[in-house]
Amino acid sequence: MGSIMEASLFTRKIEAEITKEVERLKSEGHNPSLSVIVVGNSPSTMVYFKNMSHKGVELGFYVELRKIDESIGAGEVLELIHKLNDSKDVDGILVGLPLPKEYDVDSVLHAISPNKDVDAFHPFNMGQLMIGKPHFVPATARSIISLLENYGVRIQGKNAVVVGRSNIVGKPVASLLLQRDATVTVCHSKTVDLAKYTREADILIVSMGRPRAITADYVKEGAVVIDVGINDVNGKIVGDVDFEGVRPKASLITPVPGGVGVLTTLMLFDNVLKAARFNSDKH
Ligand SMILES: Nc1nc(=O)c2c([nH]1)NC[C@@H]1CN(c3ccc(C(=O)N[C@@H](CCC(=O)O)C(=O)O)cc3)C=[N+]21
């Protein structure tokens, strides 16, 4: 029976480190700040960003959450981003995803200054990550690596299989695992015989957006299973992994909720600290 990878075991340690750095910056006269732009009014997106903002305030950050009506065009959002780029009072900028479909996501993400891009979705930051010289690293990918490290999971030489190839999770985490000398396979919706690959995984990272899709048949005995999925099934949050079915086979497994997501928010604010250091060096 696999052990559960409880993010809450390290959240206090990480929060203490973040708070300490926030205090240090404040003592130098720099109040670290994050500007969040959310377009449209999807209730679940709003709930997430409100919770995230509260967490930031609790950690000592100045967080500004701007809710923008969908009727406001992309042009005005770009103007706002440019204004925030130029403001010395703004360290990090984040635009909530997904954006309404009328918006060109690439042009919005491209507008954010790479030095304020705490999500690390700008092509500059994506590129730096791919060449092994990361500037910012996407928070979810950092959270996954942090869980593996905190549980002492060896990555070098292991077969790591990533299910899902998104720019937000799959590609960045594959890149980080590769940098840590895993043999990495990336699977996706068009992969023929997915189980053939996942059954070879020593480390299985699942980010496919399908509730409980990964059952015990997909998992090798003793594998470390990281579930990045967050799916609402009749009002209950479940992952992409069938937790109860897979746990007996895994050596370690993350719960949903209580796993990757918990650390993601902390890593995001750690990225804001990095942005604050760039910004205070500049001014
Ligand atoms: N530009 C942008 N950046 C993002 O980082 C981003 C985004 N857009 N759009 C929405 C998604 C979603 N996301 C989550 C992060 C943490 C939890 C989280 O803390 N989850 C906890 C609590 C879940 C609960 O109980 O509600 C858990 O998994 O245990 C959830 C969701 C970041 N996102």
Side-chain angles (χ1 to χ4, degrees):
M1 183 62 87
S3 301
I4 302 178
M5 300 172 91
E6 293 277 6
S8 60
L9 294 179
F10 338 103
T11 45
R12 217 165 303 160
K13 179 186 79 183
I14 296 171
E15 283 174 6
E17 285 163 8
I18 292 174
T19 313
K20 196 174 153 205
E21 180 64 1
V22 168
E23 292 308 321
R24 192 189 68 79
L25 283 161
K26 283 184 174 173
S27 73
E28 290 179 351
H30 190 114
N31 286 352
S33 75
L34 172 66
S35 265
V36 180
I37 301 170
V38 182
V39 185
N41 46 12
S42 143
S44 60
T45 308
M46 251 352 257
V47 167
Y48 165 65
F49 284 106
K50 280 198 178 128
N51 289 341
M52 198 205 77
S53 303
H54 284 146
K55 189 74 205 173
V57 170
E58 203 181 291
L59 292 166
F61 291 83
Y62 178 72
V63 184
E64 195 154 33
L65 178 56
R66 279 192 184 75
K67 197 175 153 188
I68 299 205
D69 197 84
E70 255 177 87
S71 62
I72 308 285
E76 275 180 65
V77 174
L78 291 180
E79 250 172 63
L80 172 59
I81 293 171
H82 292 140
K83 205 182 78 192
L84 299 171
N85 282 342
D86 293 340
S87 167
K88 70 170 174 34
D89 297 328
V90 174
D91 296 318
I93 303 170
L94 182 159
V95 177
L97 298 182
L99 280 164
K101 56 183 180 315
E102 304 79 49
Y103 279 70
D104 174 27
V105 182
D106 291 336
S107 70
V108 171
L109 297 182
H110 206 283
I112 298 169
S113 162
N115 280 334
K116 298 193 175 191
D117 176 33
V118 291
D119 266 330
F121 297 160
H122 187 287
F124 173 82
N125 282 312
M126 297 273 289
Q128 289 299 123
L129 180 62
M130 295 305 143
I131 64 172
K133 296 180 174 124
H135 186 57
F136 285 105
V137 176
T140 307
R142 286 192 62 189
S143 167
I144 293 164
I145 298 296
S146 169
L147 277 165
L148 292 172
E149 285 176 351
N150 275 296
Y151 272 91
V153 176
R154 191 183 160 80
I155 298 174
Q156 189 177 54
K158 292 294 160 71
N159 284 344
V161 176
V162 178
V163 185
R165 56 173 151 180
S166 70
N167 292 333
I168 292 171
V169 181
K171 285 176 195 164
V173 78
S175 187
L176 291 178
L177 291 163
L178 202 49
Q179 270 163 47
R180 285 161 178 75
D181 300 322
T183 301
V184 182
T185 304
V186 181
C187 300
H188 46 79
S189 53
K190 301 291 188 292
T191 297
V192 177
D193 196 359
L194 177 60
K196 180 172 97 183
Y197 300 94
T198 58
R199 275 197 225 111
E200 293 295 316
D202 303 309
I203 300 170
L204 180 60
I205 316 270
V206 187
S207 176
M208 60 201 290
R210 285 179 46 207
R212 300 189 184 111
I214 297 298
T215 53
D217 311 344
Y218 287 82
V219 179
K220 179 165 96 172
E221 195 73 45
V224 174
V225 180
I226 308 276
D227 188 353
V228 190
I230 296 181
N231 308 286
D232 186 331
V233 175
N234 305 321
K236 189 175 174 240
I237 302 288
V238 304
D240 293 348
V241 174
D242 168 24
F243 182 84
E244 298 306 330
V246 168
R247 189 179 169 198
K249 256 186 154 177
S251 60
L252 288 167
I253 183 167
T254 62
V256 175
V260 174
V262 176
L263 288 188
T264 297
T265 305
L266 295 182
M267 295 300 155
L268 193 272
F269 281 102
D270 195 57
N271 281 350
V272 177
L273 285 175
K274 187 167 186 167
R277 289 189 291 264
F278 288 143
N279 198 20
S280 69
D281 288 347
K282 208 176 103 188
H283 294 283

XYZ file of all heavy atoms in Angstrom, residues 48-49 94-98 119 121 230 237 257-259 261-262 264-265, ligand 1:
165
model
N -10.694 30.348 -7.416
C -9.279 30.025 -7.319
C -8.439 31.283 -7.110
O -7.586 31.327 -6.228
C -8.783 29.250 -8.551
C -7.286 29.244 -8.595
C -6.561 28.590 -7.592
C -6.580 29.965 -9.554
C -5.176 28.634 -7.560
C -5.203 30.018 -9.531
C -4.512 29.349 -8.535
O -3.151 29.415 -8.503
N -8.691 32.324 -7.904
C -7.838 33.514 -7.798
C -8.101 34.301 -6.509
O -7.186 34.935 -5.993
C -7.956 34.388 -9.045
C -7.186 33.796 -10.195
C -7.834 33.189 -11.258
C -5.800 33.780 -10.167
C -7.110 32.597 -12.287
C -5.068 33.191 -11.193
C -5.734 32.603 -12.253
N 0.177 38.434 -13.608
C -0.372 37.123 -13.953
C -1.736 37.328 -14.596
O -2.555 38.091 -14.076
C -0.482 36.358 -12.649
C -0.959 34.930 -12.558
C -0.446 34.355 -11.260
C -2.453 34.859 -12.581
N -1.968 36.700 -15.738
C -3.281 36.770 -16.389
C -3.934 35.399 -16.276
O -3.374 34.394 -16.737
C -3.160 37.191 -17.868
C -4.527 37.189 -18.543
C -2.527 38.575 -17.992
N -5.078 35.348 -15.644
C -5.768 34.075 -15.408
C -6.092 33.348 -16.703
O -6.554 33.953 -17.666
N -5.845 32.072 -16.712
C -6.190 31.217 -17.839
C -7.258 30.223 -17.378
O -7.249 29.843 -16.221
C -4.951 30.468 -18.350
C -3.808 31.327 -18.885
C -2.676 30.434 -19.387
C -4.275 32.261 -19.992
N -8.137 29.782 -18.234
C -8.214 30.149 -19.646
C -8.821 31.539 -19.846
O -9.617 31.989 -19.034
C -9.143 29.067 -20.206
C -10.001 28.653 -19.051
C -9.146 28.802 -17.833
N 4.133 33.454 -13.946
C 3.618 32.171 -14.440
C 4.647 31.460 -15.320
O 4.543 30.260 -15.545
C 2.370 32.392 -15.309
C 1.070 32.270 -14.536
O 1.025 31.509 -13.553
O 0.095 32.932 -14.941
N 4.926 31.815 -18.553
C 4.291 31.383 -19.797
C 4.773 32.181 -21.015
O 4.406 31.879 -22.142
C 2.757 31.507 -19.698
C 2.121 30.628 -18.643
C 0.851 30.908 -18.158
C 2.789 29.506 -18.145
C 0.252 30.093 -17.189
C 2.197 28.680 -17.178
C 0.928 28.987 -16.702
N -7.308 18.380 -11.633
C -8.317 18.946 -10.737
C -9.620 18.938 -11.527
O -9.799 19.725 -12.450
C -7.961 20.380 -10.283
C -6.675 20.368 -9.450
C -9.118 20.995 -9.484
C -6.245 21.722 -8.922
N -14.078 17.524 -5.872
C -12.816 17.664 -6.612
C -12.104 16.310 -6.649
O -11.801 15.738 -5.597
C -11.891 18.703 -5.928
C -12.562 20.069 -5.818
C -10.549 18.808 -6.660
C -12.708 20.815 -7.111
N -7.884 16.734 -3.389
C -6.961 17.850 -3.114
C -5.905 17.453 -2.078
O -5.926 16.345 -1.574
C -7.891 18.940 -2.582
C -9.078 18.217 -2.029
C -9.222 16.944 -2.805
N -4.995 18.387 -1.817
C -3.993 18.166 -0.772
C -2.623 17.795 -1.294
O -1.708 17.552 -0.517
N -2.485 17.750 -2.636
C -1.192 17.375 -3.221
C -0.550 18.523 -3.969
O -0.215 19.555 -3.384
N -1.559 20.843 -6.018
C -2.178 22.175 -6.033
C -1.759 23.052 -4.858
O -1.541 24.258 -5.014
N -1.635 22.414 -3.692
C -1.304 23.166 -2.481
C 0.049 23.880 -2.621
O 0.184 25.048 -2.266
C -1.264 22.205 -1.269
C -0.825 22.933 -0.019
C -2.623 21.544 -1.071
N 1.548 24.504 -5.470
C 1.568 25.358 -6.666
C 1.433 26.834 -6.282
O 2.189 27.689 -6.760
C 0.441 24.964 -7.637
O 0.674 23.617 -8.069
C 0.387 25.874 -8.846
N 0.489 27.130 -5.411
C 0.273 28.515 -5.007
C 1.509 29.083 -4.311
O 1.900 30.226 -4.551
C -0.972 28.615 -4.106
O -2.081 28.041 -4.807
C -1.294 30.053 -3.756
N -2.377 32.197 -15.253
C -2.756 31.167 -14.494
N -1.912 30.634 -13.594
C -2.307 29.586 -12.805
O -1.504 29.113 -11.970
C -3.635 29.055 -12.943
C -4.480 29.665 -13.891
N -4.015 30.689 -14.660
N -5.763 29.262 -14.034
C -6.349 28.322 -13.085
C -5.329 27.305 -12.677
C -5.733 26.452 -11.502
N -4.652 26.566 -10.551
C -4.687 25.983 -9.279
C -3.633 26.077 -8.396
C -3.714 25.581 -7.104
C -4.859 24.938 -6.674
C -4.957 24.420 -5.293
O -4.461 25.025 -4.351
N -5.581 23.286 -5.072
C -5.716 22.717 -3.743
C -7.079 22.989 -3.149
C -8.220 22.495 -3.972
C -9.566 22.738 -3.317
O -9.823 22.092 -2.295
O -10.344 23.564 -3.821
C -5.440 21.244 -3.838
O -5.311 20.726 -4.944
O -5.338 20.616 -2.794
C -5.923 24.809 -7.552
C -5.829 25.314 -8.835
C -3.758 27.504 -11.004
N -4.108 27.985 -12.193
